[in-house]
Each structure stands twice: as structure tokens, then as C-alpha cells.
Amino acid sequence: MNQSSVHLLDLPDEMLLNILKKLDNVDVLYALLGIDSGRLNSLAREETFSRTLNLVSILHNTTMVDSILDRFFNYILPQVHDNVECLIVEPAFMERILLAAHYQNLTELKIINFQRDNSSRYFADDSSLRHIFKRQITKLDLFVKDREREVGSLKDYTKNVFARVLTCFENLNHLNVTGTMIPASPGLSISYLPSNTFSSSTLTYLCINVLYFTDCLCLLDGRLKHLSTFIVQIYCMDTDLSIVHNLNELPKMKVFSLIHYGLIEEYNDKFVSLVRRMLYLEKLTLYLRIACPSVYTDPIYLINEFSMNLSRLHSFNFYLSTENNRNDLVRYLSNNNVKQNYMNTGYQEVSTIVSFSVNTARHHIFTLPFEFIKFLGIGNIFPNIVFKNVIELYVHDVVPFEHEFFLRIAQAFPMLKRFCISHLSRHSHNSKKSTDNIQSHQIVEYPHLTFLDITRVDNNYVEHLLNETKTHLPSLTELHVRYEDLRVATEDFTKELTRRNCANVTRLKTWREIVGSKDFYIYFPLL
């Protein structure tokens, strides 16, 4: 057959469907529904193209958004509404989309760019959407755009947003609240609110950020009595001992994930005690960083403590690091078969990293593949692993970082968005010389990096990371750097080779040293 004469309509239906399934559902509906070809029009009506509709994607074409939305509201949605089970919307158009047709099979709603000021009105008692939320929606995902530092009282935010969601969505069994802003979206704060705040008799799945560990305990005090999956990130580990918690067993809990990215200064058994209340736990995920200044703490011991007596546990993903006295860790490593200890954990593959600073040492142990988004405190030596989920990295070492180290970082952390580097010792002469004649194929590429903190390095690193012949930072928008280092590296802000990496920076935070005065930061939002 002459391939040049084959047309799209010459293909069998099965092949056409496979091609169309590779396209966005909304694009298929917009392009094919209602066209003259009855065959393509019929294929576009297949449930697979209207079961889930992401109506946020069509808003990207701002020049045609009105005409596209009009076609969807007036023609497409009224024809496919019976197939729709999940809608992905933004607050600005949510009301119009939900009222455009009667979606009798709609049970799932995802709200993108959710903000208190543009969305909470939909949860009011007189909202035109209240009947849909109350009767139909059982699964809700909120992708929150609010920033914690901009919303004021988290107690008020909890009452006016989080608690109102559970009041409005009476049949909800799945709630996922995901922050889209860095450093932090608002966390739930219920410790000092009435015990019926944020309560539900139907919720079985909850993913949320909370302000304090106490808030985590409050959520498990019986107000969510059917909860079986609980995924929580805790901002602060403070516990108010004056609050008496219900510490009954949690036999319905099957999946539990606890993440705290901060350094825990005083570790105790409150985490182990919490996990041991979950008698029939099947999947456990932990991310904890623990300071142990007075006595060495073996992370393997902690792992065994968490998993002890959990007979149904079949999946245990973790990252645990202990920050110890340097000499204590050296003695431990010299007297123990660390590799054998890891093998005895009984779970999936485990790896380890040990990094040193002047007086302390960090002992990291984690399961593979590494599923967390942050890795804090590694040094020059780390295993040949690709950390494809990590978007934020902090590195520190007493040994200087060479150009080859930054190449390895780019390869090991391909999705890196935030990078903090700490090393205040001078580069060796050989290191400085080795970076002067870097070939083009050796240039370090960080294609996704938007945030770079180099306030705790000397000016050789600053020049190395901003010089386009050594490092390429096409997405950099926020830079933290000492003013004098930036001035020297850019030759009084005139050096052409540092211009391109700084061209897209819109937020600049500088640290300037004033003789006879304290150091201070200046934060410049750039236009």
C-alpha cells in the first residue's frame, strides 16, 4: 500500500481510539465533537474522553479562552454530562462549569489554585453549589495556593476553610489538601478549637499538613472515626502537654505517613507510641531528622522500634537521619557491620549516606526508590542513585566541592528546583584552576532550578555557579547571596558571563556585612 495515500479515517476504530487516547480529553472533545464526520463524532462521545475533564488546561490559551469556554458550556458539556465522574477546575470558572449541566455521575472534584479569598464563598450555606457538594462529591482534592505567612491566624484559616469543607461536603470519604507554594501552605491548627471542629463520620482518607504534632494527635482522637489512610506533614514538633488526648488504639488505620522536614531537637518515644496504636497497619512511611548531641543514636534501632509488633506491615518506606557527635559516629561505624544491619531490616532495598561537618556527623538511612521531595544535609560522598522525586537539596561538607560534584548532583537530582549550598572554606588552588577551562560538554545543567541559596559559601563558588561557561541556570528566579560575593563574582555587576544565569531572577536576597554592626539581609523583589 502506498503510505502517502492513507488518511486518518482509513484506520480501524481500535487504532483511532488508541491514537486519540494519547491526546488530552478536552482537546479531543473540542476538536471532534459535533464535526461533520459521524465516525469521529461518535468516537469522541466514548466515555473514556469525558469521564475525567481537566478544564484548567483550556485556560492556558488566553487569546481564545472565551470562545473555547462558550463552546464547552453551551454545546459540549450538555452532551457529555452523563459520562462525567471527575472535574478538574479553577475557582474562577468553577461555578459556571458545575452549573452548565446536571452531572448525575459526578463524585470527584479537584480544585486547582485554591485560595481562601477566591474560593471559600462556594462553601457558604447560601452557595449555588451547596447541593452538588452536599449530595454528590465523595472525593475532593484541594491544591492550595495560599501561603502560610500571608493568611494570618491559622486557627481562623482552619475554621473558615478546612472545617467548612467537611461541613459542606457531607458525604466526603476522601480529602487531599496539597500545598502548591514553597516554602509552606497553611497548616491545620485545631489544638485549641472545640473537639467537633474538623470532624466527619464518613472520611476514610485524609492527606493534610498540620501546624503542630499536637494537631496530628487531635485528628486521631476519635473525630474521624472511620479514617483508614492518614498522610500528614507536620511543620512543628511542639507538643502541648496540658492537652489530654484520646490515646485509644486505632484498629482501622491501614496506611500512615508522617513527614517532618525540620530537625527534631529532643527525640522521645511519642512517634513510636503513635505508630504502635495502629495495630493492623499495612503501609508505613516516615521522614524524620533527629539531633542526638549527647549520645549516639543508631537509625537502625529506630526503624526496628517503629516496625516492632506490626504483624500486618508489608510496606515500610522511610528516611531517617541522626545528627551525632562526629567521634561517636566514627566509633560506631568502625565497630558495626552496617551493611548487614541494613539487610536485617526485612524491607525493600536500603541505602545509607554519612556526611561530616566540623564537630558533627549525619547518618542517613533510607529506602529505595527514594520517594520524598527533600534531601537535607549530604556531602561530597553519596551513592550512584537517581533521586528522581527530590526537588529540594541542601549540601554541606568540610571538604571543598569540586566541579565534578556539581555534575554528579545534576545527574543524581534531575528534577531539582531548590538548592542550598554550605561551605565557607576556601577552594584549593587546584580546584580553582580546574574550573577555569571547562569544556562545553562539562557545563553543569540545572534545567528546573528556580531557587539558589549561596549565602554560606565563598565567592569562588558564587562565580562558579553564576558563570554560564560552568553552570547553566535557565529557570533561576530567586537568588540568596552575600552582597560582596555577588559584587566580586559579577565584577561590579558588569560581567557578561554571569548575566544570562541572573536574567530571570525576580527575587534577590542579599546579606551585607557592615563594619561595627550586625550582618543584615536585604530582600529585593525585582521587576
Side-chain angles (χ1 to χ4, degrees):
M1 179 183 290
N2 184 357
Q3 293 185 354
S4 63
S5 66
V6 176
H7 298 283
L8 183 65
L9 293 177
D10 294 329
L11 300 175
D13 285 355
E14 184 178 358
M15 188 174 294
L16 275 175
L17 276 174
N18 287 334
I19 293 173
L20 295 177
K21 286 178 181 178
K22 297 182 183 299
L23 305 176
D24 188 281
N25 289 354
V26 168
D27 292 335
V28 172
L29 293 174
Y30 183 78
L32 300 182
L33 199 65
I35 66 172
D36 292 338
S37 171
R39 186 171 167 225
L40 289 178
N41 182 58
S42 177
L43 289 175
R45 293 178 184 274
E46 290 279 337
E47 289 186 14
T48 186
F49 298 115
S50 49
R51 192 174 293 119
T52 297
L53 293 182
N54 183 355
L55 297 173
V56 175
S57 61
I58 64 177
L59 302 178
H60 295 164
N61 189 347
T62 56
T63 59
M64 298 179 60
V65 65
D66 289 336
S67 61
I68 293 175
L69 286 176
D70 285 342
R71 175 165 161 75
F72 263 93
F73 294 145
N74 300 327
Y75 181 75
I76 296 175
L77 291 178
Q79 294 198 58
V80 301
H81 62 94
D82 284 342
N83 299 334
V84 177
E85 298 175 4
C86 173
L87 283 173
I88 305 173
V89 299
E90 281 193 322
F93 295 95
M94 180 166 66
E95 186 172 26
R96 189 177 174 188
I97 291 170
L98 288 172
L99 297 179
H102 173 54
Y103 309 94
Q104 62 180 9
N105 293 310
L106 178 67
T107 59
E108 183 176 353
L109 183 64
K110 298 183 180 183
I111 305 177
I112 311 297
N113 294 326
F114 175 93
Q115 290 180 285
R116 176 186 56 188
D117 296 340
N118 67 11
S119 307
S120 56
R121 60 188 175 91
Y122 294 127
F123 305 147
D125 292 339
D126 58 352
S127 168
S128 60
L129 305 178
R130 186 65 183 262
H131 66 289
I132 300 175
F133 295 162
K134 181 178 180 179
R135 298 173 185 172
Q136 291 188 239
I137 304 300
T138 61
K139 186 174 182 180
L140 177 65
D141 291 85
L142 298 181
F143 296 88
V144 179
K145 195 177 179 180
D146 286 322
R147 293 177 184 267
E148 181 184 19
R149 62 191 180 197
E150 297 173 353
V151 299
S153 167
L154 289 182
K155 186 186 298 184
D156 290 340
Y157 193 93
T158 295
K159 291 188 294 185
N160 296 326
V161 178
F162 296 134
R164 192 173 291 181
V165 166
L166 287 190
T167 302
C168 185
F169 294 81
E170 293 185 1
N171 293 313
L172 208 61
N173 57 47
H174 175 113
L175 176 59
N176 173 32
V177 183
T178 302
T180 61
M181 303 307 293
I182 296 177
S185 60
L188 183 83
S189 178
I190 58 172
S191 299
Y192 304 102
L193 294 175
S195 59
N196 61 349
T197 304
F198 199 78
S199 61
S200 169
S201 61
T202 60
L203 202 66
T204 60
Y205 177 104
L206 176 62
C207 176
I208 199 165
N209 299 342
V210 301
L211 181 57
Y212 294 116
F213 182 71
T214 302
D215 298 309
C216 174
L217 296 178
C218 287
L219 288 173
L220 298 173
D221 64 3
R223 71 186 70 200
L224 304 172
K225 57 185 178 182
H226 292 295
L227 197 64
S228 59
T229 297
F230 185 28
I231 301 170
V232 61
Q233 179 179 336
I234 301 173
Y235 292 154
C236 303
M237 277 301 174
D238 295 350
T239 304
D240 189 339
L241 298 179
S242 68
I243 299 177
V244 179
H245 297 283
N246 177 355
L247 300 180
N248 290 342
E249 294 174 348
L250 301 165
K252 293 184 179 180
M253 192 67 67
K254 299 296 189 295
V255 178
F256 180 55
S257 171
L258 187 154
I259 293 176
H260 176 62
Y261 291 118
L263 185 64
I264 300 171
E265 299 290 348
E266 293 184 8
Y267 179 78
N268 56 46
D269 65 354
K270 61 185 178 182
F271 307 107
V272 173
S273 299
L274 173 59
V275 171
R276 288 186 178 175
R277 292 168 58 194
M278 306 172 186
L279 301 178
Y280 304 115
L281 197 65
E282 298 174 0
K283 182 176 181 179
L284 175 62
T285 301
L286 294 173
Y287 186 111
L288 296 173
R289 301 170 55 234
I290 302 164
C292 312
S294 57
V295 59
Y296 175 75
T297 300
D298 181 4
I300 295 293
Y301 168 78
L302 297 178
I303 291 169
N304 291 331
E305 282 289 291
F306 279 111
S307 58
M308 187 179 299
N309 298 326
L310 296 177
S311 60
R312 298 190 183 182
L313 189 67
H314 61 77
S315 175
F316 187 8
N317 293 300
F318 56 80
Y319 165 86
L320 289 175
S321 76
T322 55
E323 188 170 297
N324 303 273
N325 177 279
R326 180 187 177 104
N327 293 331
D328 290 341
L329 179 57
V330 170
R331 281 194 294 270
Y332 170 81
L333 294 176
S334 63
N335 294 327
N336 287 271
N337 187 339
V338 176
K339 183 176 181 180
Q340 183 64 41
N341 285 346
Y342 296 150
M343 294 173 63
N344 289 340
T345 60
Y347 300 98
Q348 56 265 51
E349 185 180 356
V350 176
S351 187
T352 180
I353 296 176
V354 176
S355 58
F356 295 93
S357 57
V358 177
N359 296 313
T360 62
R362 296 181 181 90
H363 192 178
H364 313 262
I365 176 172
F366 48 91
T367 49
L368 298 175
F370 191 85
E371 66 175 46
F372 306 99
I373 64 171
K374 295 187 181 184
F375 207 132
L376 308 175
I378 67 171
N380 271 285
I381 300 174
F382 59 91
N384 187 25
I385 297 171
V386 177
F387 299 85
K388 63 180 181 179
N389 294 317
V390 174
I391 62 173
E392 183 169 344
L393 177 67
Y394 170 78
V395 298
H396 174 81
D397 208 324
V398 292
V399 178
F401 297 124
E402 307 290 347
H403 182 73
E404 290 74 14
F405 169 79
F406 293 108
L407 283 171
R408 288 192 65 209
I409 290 292
Q411 295 164 0
F413 301 89
M415 303 306 296
L416 195 61
K417 293 183 179 180
R418 297 173 64 86
F419 195 11
C420 301
I421 307 165
S422 176
H423 184 272
L424 290 174
S425 299
R426 288 284 171 181
H427 263 74
S428 67
H429 176 73
N430 291 336
S431 174
K432 178 67 169 63
K433 182 178 179 180
S434 68
T435 61
D436 285 339
N437 298 305
I438 296 174
Q439 302 299 318
S440 60
H441 68 276
Q442 295 178 303
I443 294 176
V444 180
E445 298 272 353
Y446 296 117
H448 306 288
L449 195 72
T450 60
F451 174 96
L452 178 62
D453 184 346
I454 44 178
T455 55
R456 292 175 294 275
V457 299
D458 65 67
N459 58 15
N460 284 330
Y461 288 105
V462 176
E463 195 279 335
H464 187 103
L465 290 162
L466 297 183
N467 188 325
E468 67 180 59
T469 66
K470 302 171 184 177
T471 310
H472 187 211
L473 307 173
S475 303
L476 186 65
T477 58
E478 183 165 351
L479 175 63
H480 293 196
V481 61
R482 290 187 294 183
Y483 176 84
E484 188 62 21
D485 290 343
L486 182 63
R487 186 190 68 78
V488 172
T490 60
E491 297 178 358
D492 286 317
F493 310 102
T494 63
K495 189 173 182 177
E496 192 65 30
L497 293 178
T498 59
R499 188 180 303 276
R500 183 177 300 179
N501 280 334
C502 298
N504 296 319
V505 173
T506 58
R507 298 172 72 88
L508 174 64
K509 186 174 184 179
T510 64
W511 175 20
R512 190 166 187 175
E513 300 177 20
I514 305 297
V515 177
S517 179
K518 292 184 178 180
D519 303 336
F520 69 95
Y521 281 104
I522 306 176
Y523 209 5
F524 297 102
L526 305 179
L527 299 179

